[in-house]
Amino acid sequence: MTRPFIIGFGGTTRAGSSSEKLVRAVLTACENEGAQTRLFDGAFLARLPHYAPEKPERTVEQREFVEAVRQCNGLVIGTPAYHGGISGLVKNALDLLEDLRGDPRVYFDDCPVGLVVSAAGWQGTGITLSALRDMVHAMRGWPTPIGISVNTLAGPLFDASGAITEPQLDATIAGQASQIMRFTSAFRGPQVLKGAA
C-alpha cells in the first residue's frame, strides 16, 4: 500500500499566519507517521478567483488544488475565526471543491479531516470550529474527534522557526495527526461486506 497523501489548506493573506503554522504542524506530524503531504497556504488560496458556479473555466491554480484534493486520502483545514466564522479564503476554497460533486468519490467521502481554528480570543474559536465541522459533514467528510482551537492571545505558541512551543498544543496536534493517519488506514483497508465468508 502506498503512503497516504494528506492535503492541508488554510491560512490568511499574511504569510506565516497562526492558522497556516498550525496546519503545517499537523501535516509535519502526519509526515512523522509516514504520510506524504502538501500544503496550500494562504498565499496560494488568495490567488484562487472567486468561485462562480456558472463559469466552468478554471485557472491553473484552481485545477491544481481540485486535483490534489481529488487524489488525497485525508485533509487538514485551518482557518482564522473572523467574526465567528471561517475566513473568505477558506470558504472560497471549499466552494471550489463543488467540482468534486460528480466524482466517484464525492467531495470528502471516506476522508478523515482534521480541523484547526485560531483566533485572538476564545469566543470565536468554538463557534467557528463547530461551523467548520458542519461544512465538512455536508461535504461527506469525517472530522476527527480532536479539533484544534487556539487563542493566539494566550501566550507565545511558536518559536522563531514556526515550531510549536506550547506542550499541550503540541500534544493535541500529534493526537489529531494520529487520528487522521489511523482513519486513513481504516478507510483504505480492504472492505469486507457484512455476512461475507
Side-chain angles (χ1 to χ4, degrees):
M1 188 178 287
T2 59
R3 295 164 62 199
F5 181 38
I6 311 299
I7 290 293
F9 66 92
T12 71
T13 54
R14 179 174 57 85
S17 66
S18 296
S19 52
E20 180 181 311
K21 288 177 183 175
L22 291 164
V23 172
R24 190 181 303 275
V26 177
L27 291 179
T28 298
C30 288
E31 289 173 4
N32 292 339
E33 294 200 24
Q36 49 186 326
T37 68
R38 178 160 183 198
L39 173 65
F40 292 92
D41 60 14
F44 182 94
L45 299 183
R47 294 196 299 272
L48 299 177
H50 286 292
Y51 174 68
E54 74 281 7
K55 296 180 180 178
E57 302 82 12
R58 296 288 178 259
T59 65
V60 170
E61 289 86 358
Q62 286 175 313
R63 290 195 301 272
E64 182 181 356
F65 176 65
V66 171
E67 187 57 32
V69 175
R70 178 176 281 131
Q71 298 300 322
C72 78
N73 305 111
L75 299 104
V76 182
I77 304 173
T79 183
Y82 287 164
H83 309 293
I86 71 172
S87 73
L89 283 183
V90 174
K91 180 63 165 66
N92 187 55
L94 287 168
D95 289 346
L96 175 60
L97 296 175
E98 181 66 11
D99 285 2
L100 303 176
R101 72 186 176 279
D103 280 17
R105 185 189 78 186
V106 180
Y107 303 129
F108 303 153
D109 199 22
D110 284 349
C111 279
V113 185
L115 303 177
V116 177
V117 175
S118 64
W122 285 117
Q123 182 173 351
T125 60
I127 55 177
T128 303
L129 182 61
S130 179
L132 194 51
R133 282 184 189 275
D134 288 344
M135 291 177 194
V136 169
H137 280 140
M139 297 181 77
R140 304 188 189 189
W142 296 75
T144 58
I146 294 177
I148 298 171
S149 57
V150 173
N151 176 3
T152 58
L153 299 181
L157 302 173
F158 310 99
D159 65 18
S161 70
I164 304 295
T165 58
E166 205 284 308
Q168 183 58 52
L169 176 58
D170 194 48
T172 303
I173 286 169
Q176 184 181 90
S178 181
Q179 288 183 344
I180 291 169
M181 295 299 288
R182 290 201 315 271
F183 298 157
T184 296
S185 178
F187 287 132
R188 296 170 77 217
Q191 301 298 311
V192 179
L193 296 176
K194 196 172 186 179

